[in-house]
Each structure stands twice: as structure tokens, then as C-alpha cells.
Amino acid sequence: MTVSSSAFDLPDRLAAKRDPALIAVDEQHFALIADSLERSIDDLSHRLDEERKAPGGEGEAALTRDLEIHRLTAQLRLLRRFGLDLCLGRMVSANDPDPVYVGRLGLTDPEGERLLVDWRSPAAEPFFGATYANPMGLVSRRRYRWTRGRISDFWDEVFTPEGFEGNAALDDESAFIASLGSSRSTRMRDVLGTIQADQDAIIRAGSPGALVVDGGPGTGKTVVALHRAAYLLYSDPHLVNHRGDVLVVGPHAGYLAYVDDVLPSLGEEGVQTCTLRDLLVEGAAAAHETDPAIARLKSSADLLRAVEAAVRYYEEPPSRPMTVGTPWADIRLTAAEWAEAFDSADPGIPHNEARDQVWEALLDILVDLFDDGEVPLHLVRRSLVQNEELTRTFAKAWPLLDPAGIVGDLWSVPAYLKLCAPWLPHADFELLQRTDARAWTVSDLPFLDAARQRIGDPAAARRNRRREAAIASAQEEMARVIDHLIEADDSELQVMKMLRGQDFQNTLVDEAALPNADPDLLAGPFAHIIVDEAQELTDAEWQMLLSRNPTRSFTVVGDRAQARHGFTESWQRRLERVGLTEITMASLSINYRTPEEVMAEAEPVIRAALPDANVPLSIRSSGLPVIHGSVADLGSIVERWLEAHAEGIGSLISAAGPGGTASAVVPPSPRIRSLTPELSKGLEFDLVVLVDPESFGGGIEGAVDRYVAMTRATQQLVILTS
């Protein structure tokens, strides 16, 4: 990958920046990086081939090998994807005149000399964190803009008079502000090289407890959240050796598609991303709750207690003694002994998995009570297992349960709900009942999840029994083979007898090849969870995430002013109520995305409903006024914008979204999307057209929807009314 031509491809308007005094040092350094990259790619390719050819092994060894293959593959893909543009920029400190180059990952030459420092390392922190008020020891900083693998522009920032030496490529606007004016696409832009000091401080914050990142539209909350995931996987000792222990939760599928490439571009491909719907199979088809009163009831974490009571109802030991017959003698089983067996399950084990433990404990108790010493105990146990009355009584007292069935019964059997939630007023009992027990809504998902956590997979016990039977069958077959080999062994040392050893028998049966269930990658536990648009989560929905994060390590990203159903309390109070205790606040107050022309129009909209809304300060202007017009002009407005802009994307935001009449009158184009306000959250567009914004509704929800929709614009906002 030796550089045969300049890494710089500066346009004629930037001819002054081609001065060798400005770029000669960079050119020499990029040549070294190119040579190192070529060697690194060859080395990684060789190591990956060797790792793939190596024996797979079993258990921990197999997992370690798979993780190493995944790590090498991700690193190789990153090197091949970026090449020289792995380099983000350089910085010069007061103590060392030689520039330090910062990259997406660390890189050294064959002698071990540092060519690039990883952006997440402590050594790179001044590159992102230095400001004129706090230079962090720097005299200058340079950021590059890469286009198709070559530098199309660069910007110098000088913090001291000494920094001007070799750094005269100064502009009226910074690299970051210049990047904000570029056209958007269907995926979030790569912004690593232009992360600002306030964002970087939050990215590098520690992971214990819950870190709340509060900020208005355009402050870079999503950027912070995603880059924080990559940073924690690099720096946090709890996460470094466990790729995949981080979960990122977004508001909707469009958001996940928009940010899909961010973490891979940072070299992290093992992070799980999902919406709350994705945590359950029922989530895909779940409808919105149409009755606000029902949605309010189901938003409470208190009502989730009904799930525990509903399951406990099926874990009650028989209160009467019974006589269990065997071919040799009857065994008297008392209520106390039933209770002893039912109390034997390990704490926290799901109901269906605990069932086997309780059954085995019950058999142990009965075998211990059998007092005929002449009968082999394994025959007694076999007789008990085949006792229909005993198995029928046990199945009724501790049945296998279906999580969906339990929740469905709560919403369709009034007496069952009253038994499990006796504190509810009578009117609420009636409100929660419905004819179709399994007509799932989004509000049901926390209850289904709680039931699944408490009950477990309904088929898990059956799968375990099938697996155990398969292992026993394989061991029995192997025993027959060993017996045959020993009989046929006529050697003097009789070496085949060694196969009777337990270690040999265990080795000869490949349990990894036996049937097993595919793991649920979203089941957890996760060491850290990042929640974007967290202001929308109900108390009940928070429990879905807390159950997957026993360490309570969270990054909570949101804006109280963008909560569609209101958010009058503080973050501290909300999170403490749902179960988080160690809470740290961080705030972003600068709007880097939304032009001041748009914010001037959007701010009064939200303040009319929420006077104390945290409206961020916009620091850029697009020079384009907000356009007001008629819905009748929608088609021509979009058509003219597409003709005038060869790049960029736009969005029509209406109450109806893609199924509305507005989307039918615009020219079909992959660069124009039709969305509802709710589905526009977390996204950004060069052009935003609001269609009849007053139809979004009244009150806080309507105001928030209008505010969110307006602030998606990075260049032009158009508001059309009928």
C-alpha cells in the first residue's frame, strides 16, 4: 500500500494549503502509515487463516477461538475499508515538537514506533478535548477531511503563538462547522474526526451507575451514545474481554438502520442494537394501545407485580397429604413434605426450569421415606416416576406454563386479575379486560417480558430432557462399542480396557454436536446498556432493560422536552423510581445541527406547551428562511428541491406518514422519505417539509411532535397548511 502519489487532493480554491511547508511532514508520515498498513493487513490475513485452520476445540477453548476470529476479522475489515483515512488528524504539544497522529485504531511501524494512537486512548484525549480556554498542553491541532481515500481539506487550530509554526492553514470556520453544512444521506455521517470537547467528555466518562446525557435537538446525543459504546468496549475492564456485552436501544427500526454503520466504522461489530419491540417475538406485530387510560395503567411498574402473583398461583404445594403406592409398600407424603420439595428450587431460577428440580427433590423425599431395605432404591424411584396419580398431582400443583398464556389470562379472566392485583380499583379491573386475550399491544410487552423472565422458555424443559436423553443414549451406545473393542483386544497389555475410564467415556461423547437451542442474543445479561430517546420509556418498559443489566450500568440519552406524553419530573426522580440509584448528570446545550433560522421558528412551538423546555443554542446559520406555503404546492416544492440539489435527502412529515395523501403527490424518489413525527426521532434531513402540522394534535403531544419534526432539518424547513 505504498503511497505513489500525494495523500492530498486539494481543490484549486485551496491552493494555498498545498504549500510544502504545511503538508510535507504529513506526506512523509502517511508514507510510513501506508507501509505499516500493508504489513498489518498481510499479518492479520495470515493470522486469521491460521486461526481458521486450527482445531475448533470445545467449551471455553471454542469460545476463545471464535472471539479471536471475530476480533481479527473486524480489525482486518476496518483496515481494508479505510486505508490511509484511518487517520483523523494530528496534534502538537508544548513538550514535543513532533506531531502525534490520531487514528481510528493504533498503529506502529516494525520498530515499534507509534504512527497512530487509537482515538480512545488517553494519549488522544487532547485531540478532542482541547479548547482555547483549556488547550490541555497543545499548541496546535489539525483535522483532515477525507474524500475517496485522499485529503480534500484540512483545518488548523492554534492555541499558542508557537502553534503558528508549520500550521498556517487557518479558516474562518472550523472543520466541525464546515462538516455540518454537508449533505446528509440515509446513514449517519462519519463524525469521529470532528467530535467536540463537550461531547468527548461524556464519551469518556466512567461506566458505573447510570450516566444521563440530557440535551435538546441537534446537540449530538446520538453521536455521544454510539461513540461511548465503542469507547467503553476499548477502555472498560468489565467489557474489554467480553465483546457483545453492550446493548444499544433505539426508538424505532428507522433509527437502527440510520446508525447501522457507525459502530462498524469504529471497529466494533459485536454490539447488539434493538428497539424495545425487538426484545420479544410478540413485539413485531404488537399494535399501539388506542385507549390512553389503559396505556397509563400498563405503564406502571406496580402492575407488573401481578405477573409474579400469577406465576406463584401455580407454585402452591398441595395442602393435603397423599398416599403414594409402590409394588412393595405405600408411602405417606405429608403437606409439610410437599412444601419442602417446593422450596427446594434454586432462588431466581425460572418456573419451568425449577419444575425439574422440584420433581427430583420430591422423588428424593419419597425414596428416603421408603423403609424396605431389601428393594433396590433405583427400582423404587422408577416406580415413583411411573405413578400416574403422583405425576398427575404434581403436574397440577406445578404445571409447565406459557408466558403468553399467563398474561392473556390476566386480561381476560377477571377473577384471576383480582387475585393477582387485589389493590386495583374495580373500574381498572373492567378497563383492563378484553375479548381477545392475545391481541398484543406495545403496552403488553413489559408484562410478556416479565412473564418470560419469571417462567422461562416453555420448551426449555422439554429441550433439556431431550438433550439429556440424547447424551444418555450416546453414552450407552459408546459403552457397547467399548465392550466390543475390549472383547476383540488380544494384545498383551490389554490397552482397550483404558476406555472404561470415565474421562475417556466423557471425551468420546461429543456433547457439542448434540441438539441445542440457538441463544437469544437480546436476552442478556449485558454489562452496559445505552438507551437513546429514553424520555419515552415508561416505568414498566424500564423493567425490561433492568432485568437484562444486573450491574445497573446505563447510558441514558434523552430530552425531557421531547417526551410525547410529558416529563414533568427530573431525570433523577424518574430513574430512582424505576430502580436506578447511582445517577450522574451530563448536559449538552449547543445545537450543532439545526440552523438558527429553524430554531427561531421551533422554539416558540415547544415553549408554548413547556415554558421551561431545555432549548439548545444553535451556532450555525444556513442562510435559508423557513418557507410557509400551501399543501397544494407540495409536489412542485419537492420537485424543485430535487432538481436544485444533486445530493442530500429530504423528508415529508405528516400525521399519516407514508400512508397519507401527501406522499402520493410528490415525485417518487429514494431521496425523499415520508414519516410520522414519532418515526422521525433520531434522524436528520437536508430538507424537512411539515404537512399540516396542526393535525399532529393538541396539548403536549402535539407540540412535541411539531417541535421534533421541525428540528430534523439541517438546511431547509418548509411548513405547508391546507
Side-chain angles (χ1 to χ4, degrees):
M1 191 184 289
T2 303
V3 176
S4 57
S5 61
S6 173
F8 290 83
D9 185 22
L10 301 170
D12 291 341
R13 63 182 178 80
L14 300 177
K17 291 186 177 182
R18 298 175 188 160
D19 186 345
L22 292 176
I23 64 174
V25 172
D26 285 354
E27 294 276 33
Q28 295 171 10
H29 198 80
F30 287 136
L32 297 175
I33 291 175
D35 289 339
S36 181
L37 279 174
E38 188 172 4
R39 283 190 296 269
S40 296
I41 289 173
D42 289 343
D43 178 60
L44 283 170
S45 300
H46 176 73
R47 288 163 58 191
L48 185 58
D49 288 342
E50 291 297 313
E51 200 68 44
R52 285 172 171 163
K53 293 175 184 176
E58 296 180 7
E60 187 69 25
L63 177 62
T64 300
R65 173 180 175 271
D66 289 346
L67 288 174
E68 181 64 8
I69 289 176
H70 178 81
R71 186 188 69 81
L72 293 173
T73 301
Q75 194 170 10
L76 188 59
R77 186 180 296 117
L78 189 67
L79 293 181
R80 286 173 170 164
R81 171 179 177 174
F82 283 100
L84 281 181
D85 47 350
L86 282 169
C87 184
L88 305 171
R90 74 179 201 190
M91 55 185 174
V92 179
S93 70
N95 299 325
D96 187 354
D98 293 330
V100 173
Y101 290 80
V102 178
R104 294 176 183 275
L105 48 75
L107 197 67
T108 59
D109 66 14
E111 288 72 41
E113 290 294 321
R114 182 177 58 186
L115 298 176
L116 289 175
V117 298
D118 192 296
W119 71 273
R120 296 167 288 190
S121 68
E125 188 171 356
F127 180 78
F128 301 97
T131 64
Y132 292 107
N134 178 22
M136 300 178 70
L138 297 189
V139 298
S140 68
R141 170 173 58 201
R142 173 173 291 182
R143 301 181 195 249
Y144 305 115
R145 172 183 285 175
W146 294 88
T147 305
R148 292 182 290 278
R150 298 179 72 186
I151 296 172
S152 57
D153 203 351
F154 65 92
W155 293 264
D156 287 332
E157 296 168 274
V158 175
F159 300 103
T160 68
E162 294 78 13
F164 281 97
E165 186 176 348
N167 296 285
L170 304 178
D171 296 271
D172 292 335
E173 58 181 16
S174 71
F176 181 59
I177 297 300
S179 71
L180 294 176
S182 60
S183 298
R184 268 47 177 184
S185 72
T186 56
R187 285 190 167 186
M188 178 176 275
R189 295 170 306 123
D190 175 25
V191 297
L192 175 57
T194 55
I195 285 175
Q196 298 301 282
D198 58 341
Q199 298 169 335
D200 185 66
I202 298 173
I203 290 170
R204 295 175 187 270
S207 67
L211 173 66
V212 179
V213 183
D214 180 76
T219 54
K221 300 186 298 298
T222 298
V223 167
V224 166
L226 297 172
H227 287 74
R228 178 165 166 74
Y231 173 77
L232 291 176
L233 283 167
Y234 173 88
S235 65
D236 192 307
H238 296 98
L239 302 174
V240 169
N241 297 320
H242 302 283
R243 293 304 205 241
D245 274 0
V246 172
L247 174 68
V248 176
V249 181
H252 50 78
Y255 166 96
L256 296 184
Y258 181 59
V259 304
D260 179 64
D261 192 48
V262 175
L263 285 164
S265 75
L266 300 173
E268 298 296 346
E269 300 189 5
V271 176
Q272 298 296 323
T273 62
C274 72
T275 67
L276 285 174
R277 285 176 177 267
D278 297 330
L279 296 176
L280 294 163
V281 293
E282 296 87 352
H288 286 286
E289 194 74 66
T290 57
D291 190 326
I294 296 177
R296 175 185 54 79
L297 279 172
K298 292 181 179 178
S299 70
S300 170
D302 286 341
L303 189 57
L304 288 175
R305 290 186 288 141
V307 172
E308 171 63 25
V311 177
R312 289 293 299 174
Y313 176 78
Y314 292 101
E315 296 177 350
E316 289 295 326
S319 58
R320 295 181 180 180
M322 72 176 293
T323 299
V324 182
T326 74
W328 308 277
D330 292 341
I331 306 172
R332 181 72 169 171
L333 187 64
T334 67
E337 287 156 346
W338 272 110
E340 179 186 346
F342 275 49
D343 288 340
S344 65
D346 294 336
I349 187 170
H351 169 94
N352 287 345
E353 296 175 35
R355 187 177 188 273
D356 286 344
Q357 291 187 5
V358 174
W359 174 243
E360 292 300 321
L362 184 64
L363 294 177
D364 290 341
I365 290 171
L366 288 166
V367 169
D368 289 342
L369 292 172
F370 187 79
D371 59 3
D372 188 340
E374 296 182 1
V375 181
L377 295 182
H378 73 276
L379 295 179
V380 177
R381 196 177 190 91
R382 179 182 297 175
S383 172
L384 294 170
V385 170
Q386 296 172 348
N387 187 298
E388 291 185 4
E389 183 183 5
L390 177 64
T391 56
R392 185 170 57 251
T393 303
F394 177 73
K396 184 177 180 180
W398 195 299
L400 281 173
L401 297 178
D402 173 25
I406 288 292
V407 178
D409 286 349
L410 287 174
W411 306 152
S412 60
V413 182
Y416 190 44
L417 181 58
K418 289 180 181 179
L419 176 70
C420 299
W423 65 88
L424 283 178
H426 178 73
D428 290 347
F429 284 125
E430 294 186 345
L431 193 61
L432 289 169
Q433 297 302 301
R434 65 189 183 208
T435 304
D436 186 350
R438 301 198 181 199
W440 305 122
T441 68
V442 174
S443 299
D444 291 326
L445 298 183
F447 296 87
L448 289 165
D449 190 62
R452 185 157 287 118
Q453 298 280 345
R454 180 63 174 83
I455 295 171
D457 184 348
R462 291 190 291 272
R463 281 200 305 268
N464 289 338
R465 282 195 288 271
R466 285 198 300 268
R467 181 175 173 81
E468 289 168 2
I471 292 172
S473 176
Q475 289 174 336
E476 186 176 343
E477 176 63 26
M478 189 57 63
R480 285 196 294 269
V481 172
I482 290 171
D483 288 342
H484 177 73
L485 290 172
I486 291 174
E487 289 175 8
D489 183 12
D490 58 359
S491 66
E492 183 177 344
L493 295 177
Q494 294 284 292
V495 293
M496 288 299 176
K497 288 185 177 180
M498 295 174 61
L499 294 174
R500 288 201 191 278
Q502 189 64 45
D503 289 343
F504 270 105
Q505 293 187 36
N506 290 340
T507 302
L508 292 170
V509 176
D510 184 8
E511 296 187 17
L514 296 173
N516 207 351
D518 292 332
D520 180 358
L521 298 179
L522 297 178
F526 294 95
H528 191 83
I529 296 181
I530 295 173
V531 191
D532 205 351
E533 302 292 348
Q535 74 278 353
E536 300 294 357
L537 269 63
T538 67
D539 291 6
E541 289 171 338
W542 268 110
Q543 303 311 308
M544 300 172 70
L545 302 181
L546 291 174
S547 68
R548 290 166 170 78
N549 186 285
T551 64
R552 299 294 192 263
S553 177
F554 281 87
T555 300
V556 180
V557 183
D559 177 16
R560 292 166 59 242
Q562 294 185 61
R564 299 183 73 241
H565 303 295
F567 198 131
T568 57
E569 59 195 331
S570 67
W571 279 110
Q572 184 91 15
R573 185 173 179 182
R574 166 71 64 87
L575 297 180
E576 286 176 348
R577 189 176 68 242
V578 302
L580 295 172
T581 54
E582 189 179 346
I583 301 167
T584 304
M585 294 295 303
S587 181
L588 295 170
S589 58
I590 303 298
N591 186 339
Y592 299 108
R593 177 186 67 212
T594 316
E596 57 187 15
E597 294 89 349
V598 173
M599 285 306 298
E601 190 98 11
E603 182 172 355
V605 170
I606 194 63
R607 290 216 185 276
L610 300 169
D612 62 343
N614 177 23
V615 179
L617 174 66
S618 182
I619 60 169
R620 57 181 287 265
S621 169
S622 66
L624 301 172
V626 175
I627 297 174
H628 291 265
S630 169
V631 171
D633 299 325
L634 173 60
S636 60
I637 288 174
V638 173
E639 187 173 359
R640 285 197 301 270
W641 185 85
L642 287 170
E643 291 174 354
H645 298 82
E647 296 180 340
I649 57 173
S651 177
L652 310 180
I653 303 180
S654 65
T661 56
S663 57
V665 301
V666 300
S669 170
R671 293 169 53 205
I672 301 294
R673 296 181 62 184
S674 181
L675 300 168
T676 63
E678 189 174 3
L679 293 179
S680 72
K681 279 197 168 184
L683 308 180
E684 57 184 13
F685 304 93
D686 299 283
L687 168 72
V688 169
V689 181
L690 266 62
V691 181
D692 277 328
E694 292 306 314
S695 67
F696 295 177
I700 291 177
E701 184 172 324
V704 167
D705 281 352
R706 285 185 284 276
Y707 180 61
V708 167
M710 295 169 80
T711 55
R712 300 308 94 194
T714 64
Q715 296 292 336
Q716 179 74 70
L717 173 64
V718 177
I719 301 175
L720 303 179
T721 56
S722 297

